[in-house]
Amino acid sequence: MTKGRFGIHGGQFIPETLMNAVIELEKAYEFYSKDAAFNQELDSLLKNYAGRPSLLYYAEKMTRDLGGARIYLKREDLNHTGSHKINNVLGQVLLAKRMGKTRVIAETGAGQHGVATATAAALMGMSCDIYMGHEDTQRQALNVYRMELLGAKVHPVTSGTQTLKDAVNETLREWTSRIEDTHYVLGSVMGPHPFPTMVRDFQRVIGKEVKSQLLEAEGRLPDALIACVGGGSNAMGLFYDFIQDESVALIGCEAAGLGVDTAQNAATMANGTLGIFHGMKSYFCQDEYGQIAPVYSISAGLDYPGIGPEHANLHDIGRASYVPVTDDEAVAAFEYLSRTEGIIPAIESAHAVAYAQKLAPTMRKDQLIVINLSGRGDKDVAAIARYRGVDLHE
Amino acid sequence: MSRISDVFKNKKAFIPFVTAGDPNLAVTEQLVLAMAEAGADLIELGIPFSDPVAEGIVIQKADERALAAGTTTDKIFEMVCRIRSKTEVPLAFMTYANPIFVYGADRFLSRCRQCGIDALIVPDLPYEEKGEILPYCEKYQVTLISLIAPTSKERIGMIAKEAQGFIYCVSSMGVTGVRSEIATDVRQMIDLVKAVRDIPCAVGFGISTPEQAKKMTQFADGVIVGSAIVKLVEQFGEKSVGPVRDYVFEMKRAITL
């Protein structure tokens, strides 16, 4: 009877008011995902508007410097709007339009998903409202202005911890009050069914491309895939087409903030327990009474107390592993990749780079690592400067 | 089996809600006793949750105040046991799936039974997911209340068929909170229920005035009022018992006359 399960995880734990909306969405997705005209239009948008396929770049200097496995970077940062978020957003907004919706709403943490949603809304002529934690609107002021430039209205969320989870709460509340003309463009592989499946399908293009690009470059499969995980959409998109290839290690890097043994982190797999929140059963950072914990990471995009249900299941069955990466390690990796390869990664993606720095030297020189560079770091430059005690006047 | 079957017997029911622990549990205890005295037919106690997605700003703030005051599920159970030794008023818990699930559904419902909780309302547990908690409600004879919304339409029959106790009719789109006007055709929602089964229907979300309550009970079996009462608690804090008692008395009288 319950739909959208990944092992014991997933489901549809939402107010009755939203049930017909998610059922309608599920039916529409079911139909259009098999519709040739829809897929043709989406493929064309991904190619001609978002700039796909994204490059798979051999990081030669980094490889030489670390002295182990050969390292490739999947350059999702080169997509239009600067991150993998556009893949999902183009799919969902196109679907919303086919469903006859005229307005889209979305939560955003770092602002990447908000910018992508505002972009797709501008392109497809939809009105757009974005909900963003008040604290995040300050950490990412440039992205707020960017969304407004694109015609979206940005609502700072002042409830709770004023970060990503509160932005999700507020967007869910808004959707509950207006579903007739409004689609909620959920930004990650989380929430109630069908979102975890649908968002994964729209992000799956990342792993598909990696598979064929790497076969062409190296003639074989990678040994390890590394991606950062908040809700987990870029990681799921990278992992999905390799789940059956058991020789490929799947590694998700979660935000350990000041450390997994401190109160200041967002490491759900390291510290979380099974719970039901934001429409899904999965792992969450929470207390013994099921109160969701205030989490912390330098990265607004990973500052989330849960993880998508499919990741929770990959963890349960031992198919993927999840490792914590601290603020310090991520900032060091942010600087390392900038200097070594001339590529400034998003602070989220820098979590994956940091773990690759540890892993690569332990591997043989004929082994292959692919890091998902899920976004570009321009948005983080001011925050990293602050972290290093540099006062910038933009 | 429980006190719930008497709530709607030969009368229109008035069902007030307060968040347990707002401003503290000692006041909540007095509020429950005062509301029972003033004529409440069933009292809903909210177990505060860190992220109440179905609530408007008034109850969100109440949850924040209650949690900041150190309220926990265990302390609420202790309070309910004390209340139950003083009154037979039917009591329902309103909380989200996570506090129940993490406490352990079996352990939670067993404590409900021990302390004399009669019903449970879980706004993020739709029909499709009720298997998560319903078996434990049945095991410990606590009534799990089903909700229907203005968007439920063809789902109403399916929900009504399996509903127990009464049906909670969500009068408006969106979250809880006072509304000057209720635009939904609630009467039609109730008609759809009654076409399937004769089960009491109580209307909640947005109701605050005696006039609204009176209008709703022309076709509903009861009204549920939350935010309007929680606002009084917010305004008067430890001195809210008097104002809340007066309010409940006035609302009950409006639907009795």
Side-chain angles (χ1 to χ4, degrees), chain A residues 2 5 11-17 19-20 23 165 169 173 176-177 179 275-277 281 286 289-292, chain B residues 48-53 55 60 67 74 98-99 102 123-124 126 128-129 132 149 151-152 154-155 159 173-174:
Chain A
T2 69
R5 291 283 181 163
Q12 291 177 309
F13 296 89
I14 48 170
E16 171 60 24
T17 308
M19 279 307 295
N20 263 329
I23 291 168
K165 87 171 162 80
N169 292 345
R173 289 183 184 120
T176 311
S177 73
I179 60 179
I276 295 170
F277 183 49
K281 186 184 275 189
Q286 55 185 341
Y289 292 107
Q291 306 294 347
I292 303 301
Chain B
F49 182 46
S50 53
D51 298 81
V53 294
E55 312 298 345
Q60 284 176 45
L67 291 171
D74 280 321
N98 203 47
V102 172
D124 59 347
E128 281 78 355
E129 300 291 353
E132 200 69 56
T151 48
S152 296
E154 75 288 349
R155 292 170 55 80
I159 294 168
M173 296 295 289

Side-chain angles (χ1 to χ4, degrees), chain B residues 199-237:
Chain B
I199 183 169
C201 291
V203 180
F205 278 44
I207 298 166
S208 63
T209 66
E211 293 72 36
Q212 283 175 322
K214 199 169 178 175
K215 206 172 143 195
M216 281 295 162
T217 48
Q218 284 167 9
F219 43 85
D221 302 293
V223 291
I224 303 164
V225 173
S227 296
I229 294 171
V230 173
K231 255 187 184 167
L232 290 173
V233 178
E234 179 178 11
Q235 191 182 347
F236 295 102

Side-chain angles (χ1 to χ4, degrees), chain A residues 344-368:
Chain A
I344 303 176
I347 189 64
E348 288 77 17
S349 321
H351 285 71
V353 176
Y355 188 71
Q357 286 180 271
K358 291 186 207 172
L359 183 66
T362 70
M363 293 170 68
R364 293 191 318 270
K365 289 190 174 181
D366 63 340
Q367 289 186 298
L368 303 173

Side-chain angles (χ1 to χ4, degrees), chain A residues 181-219:
Chain A
D181 66 345
T182 300
H183 172 66
Y184 178 5
V185 184
L186 229 163
S188 194
V189 286
M190 45 160 285
H193 176 71
F195 285 105
T197 300
M198 181 175 71
V199 176
R200 175 252 282 155
D201 288 352
F202 287 139
Q203 292 294 0
R204 201 178 151 181
V205 65
I206 302 171
K208 271 189 184 162
E209 286 177 7
V210 166
K211 207 169 205 176
S212 68
Q213 288 167 324
L214 201 64
L215 277 174
E216 192 167 315
E218 297 276 355

Side-chain angles (χ1 to χ4, degrees), chain B residues 13-204:
Chain B
F14 182 69
I15 306 172
F17 166 96
V18 288
T19 298
D22 171 31
N24 58 56
L25 285 169
V27 173
T28 303
E29 188 174 337
Q30 293 171 42
L31 282 170
V32 171
L33 296 172
M35 291 191 293
E37 254 175 54
D41 297 291
L42 164 69
I43 295 170
E44 258 188 59
L45 279 171
I47 298 179
F49 182 46
S50 53
D51 298 81
V53 294
E55 312 298 345
I57 190 71
V58 171
I59 296 176
Q60 284 176 45
K61 293 285 174 204
D63 281 19
E64 281 178 22
R65 286 193 298 272
L67 291 171
T71 308
T72 65
T73 309
D74 280 321
K75 289 179 188 169
I76 293 169
F77 276 127
E78 288 163 21
M79 176 198 68
V80 171
C81 286
R82 286 197 298 274
I83 290 172
R84 195 37 97 214
S85 68
K86 295 172 192 162
T87 175
E88 280 298 304
V89 71
L91 293 170
F93 269 151
M94 204 296 303
T95 195
Y96 289 78
N98 203 47
I100 301 168
F101 178 78
V102 172
Y103 196 88
D106 189 289
R107 183 170 156 239
F108 183 93
L109 271 309
S110 138
R111 291 283 282 145
C112 285
R113 169 81 173 165
Q114 275 172 14
C115 300
I117 287 289
D118 304 290
L120 184 59
I121 303 166
V122 190
D124 59 347
L125 191 78
Y127 176 87
E128 281 78 355
E129 300 291 353
K130 67 181 177 178
E132 200 69 56
I133 288 172
L134 184 62
Y136 307 100
C137 290
E138 286 172 345
K139 180 174 171 188
Y140 296 105
Q141 296 175 15
V142 173
T143 307
L144 183 64
I145 303 301
S146 300
L147 293 95
I148 60 171
T151 48
S152 296
K153 295 171 187 160
E154 75 288 349
R155 292 170 55 80
I156 289 178
M158 164 183 92
I159 294 168
K161 212 179 279 174
E162 295 179 23
Q164 299 174 2
F166 66 95
I167 286 185
Y168 189 134
C169 302
V170 175
S171 75
S172 309
M173 296 295 289
V175 293
T176 55
V178 171
R179 287 166 174 80
S180 55
E181 201 182 329
I182 289 165
T184 309
D185 190 348
V186 182
R187 184 193 292 253
Q188 193 190 26
M189 286 168 67
I190 293 175
D191 286 347
L192 287 170
V193 171
K194 305 279 181 175
V196 177
R197 291 186 45 197
D198 187 22
I199 183 169
C201 291
V203 180

